[in-house]
Every structure is written in C-alpha cells, then in structure tokens.
Amino acid sequence: DHHSVQDQTGAFEMPFTISPNPASNEVFISKLPSDGRFEIVDLIGNVLQSGSLSAGTQSLNISNLTNGIYFVRVFLNGRVWAEKLLVQH
C-alpha cells in the first residue's frame, strides 16, 4: 500500500538524539519517547551490538569499537531510524 512505502522513505524527524558524535567510549541516546531496541552496524551491515532501549536516556558502551564510521539503528513503534556515528578513541 502506497502510504506505508511513503512512511518508510519519508524524511522523519528523529524523536531522539545521539551524542556525543564523534564519540569514544560511550554514546547517549536521549529523549527516547518509548521503549525500543537498537543495533550498531558497520558500513557493510554487520551487527556489532544490539539490545533493548528504555524510554528516556540510555548510554551505550562503544569502547570495544575500532575507530571508524558506524550506524546506530533505533527501532521504535514499528519505525527504524539510522544515524551515522563516528568513533574516535
């Protein structure tokens, strides 16, 4: 159905913030409106970390990630947002 296709590709404002970016050991996902889950993936799509998120603010330990560019995917209420994350130790 056309509406759901548009929902998937539409430019939706992210309902949360990811900081700091670039990050070194820890990154915070703030202002989460509801519980959900996250994945940290590398540029070729390997899932390096995943887990659940609680509404509010959550910290993720990224000290095991090597320097580079990753994507943080956040799944909330049937939607997916992806935010680029630069890791610099």
Side-chain angles (χ1 to χ4, degrees):
D1 115 82
H2 181 70
H3 183 67
S4 62
V5 170
Q6 196 168 11
D7 271 0
Q8 303 248 320
T9 56
F12 283 97
E13 187 77 21
M14 284 197 313
F16 54 87
T17 59
I18 294 178
S19 63
N21 193 357
S24 57
N25 295 315
E26 197 172 28
V27 66
F28 293 91
I29 303 180
S30 311
K31 301 180 187 161
L32 283 160
S34 59
D35 293 355
R37 60 188 187 89
F38 78 94
E39 293 175 347
I40 298 178
V41 297
D42 63 18
L43 291 179
I44 54 175
N46 295 316
V47 177
L48 307 175
Q49 278 187 39
S50 63
S52 58
L53 295 169
S54 302
T57 298
Q58 196 102 5
S59 71
L60 308 179
N61 182 335
I62 55 164
S63 58
N64 62 325
L65 298 179
T66 56
N67 289 353
I69 296 172
Y70 300 87
F71 285 96
V72 180
R73 285 202 295 233
V74 175
F75 302 81
L76 295 172
N77 303 324
R79 287 222 176 103
V80 185
W81 283 269
E83 177 79 352
K84 190 185 289 185
L85 174 68
L86 181 61
V87 174
Q88 292 177 331
H89 295 293

